[in-house]
Amino acid sequence: MPQCSFLFWELGYRKEEQARVEHVALPGLEELAARPTPKLRASRVYASPGSPFFPPNKSVGDDTSIAEALRSQNRTRAVEEFEIGTNVLRADCESQAVGYRGSGGRLVERVITLARWKQ
């Protein structure tokens, strides 16, 4: 069986960034309390047996085919590298933006990636 994973990406923050997003700045100090920019982060990971570990909440850069799928709303395909600690994982990635309606009917942007892991 080929080693592959389905990675679900949504815009979000690291734990320490989330605290700054929820914090309300005092009047006149809004500029000092700059809000972080959300990044595409792995919200769910479904892997075949033998696939490498992929950490939840791992982010991808704006220069990846994964981010391009969200921007263009088109299917993308490219070999991507993911730095996981001291390891670098390489995968042939096919990505598609697939939004859904979340709580309260608001649109949640999501990208689904099929990652075929390379040795």
Side-chain angles (χ1 to χ4, degrees):
M1 172 183 280
Q3 294 179 343
C4 60
S5 300
F6 281 102
L7 307 168
F8 289 69
W9 308 91
E10 294 180 15
L11 292 171
Y13 304 95
R14 291 191 329 246
K15 190 183 291 187
E16 50 279 358
E17 291 174 332
Q18 186 64 40
R20 289 193 353 224
V21 169
E22 295 169 355
H23 178 72
V24 177
L26 295 173
L29 298 177
E30 293 88 359
E31 292 177 14
L32 296 176
R35 295 179 63 113
T37 303
K39 293 183 180 180
L40 274 177
R41 297 185 174 280
S43 60
R44 301 232 188 285
V45 177
Y46 300 98
S48 65
S51 292
F53 170 74
F54 198 90
N57 214 32
K58 171 72 178 155
S59 66
V60 291
D62 291 337
D63 59 343
T64 62
S65 63
I66 298 162
E68 178 59 27
L70 182 62
R71 280 191 302 274
S72 68
Q73 296 292 302
N74 289 319
R75 183 173 295 172
T76 60
R77 184 173 184 177
V79 173
E80 298 289 352
E81 292 187 347
F82 304 96
E83 291 183 23
I84 311 293
T86 58
N87 296 327
V88 176
L89 301 177
R90 294 184 75 234
D92 180 14
C93 295
E94 287 186 60
S95 301
Q96 175 70 51
V98 183
Y100 67 95
R101 296 278 171 203
S103 61
R106 85 177 167 86
L107 180 64
V108 178
E109 295 180 306
R110 172 187 274 174
V111 175
I112 300 175
T113 298
L114 170 59
R116 293 181 193 93
W117 301 107
K118 296 183 171 286
Q119 297 293 328

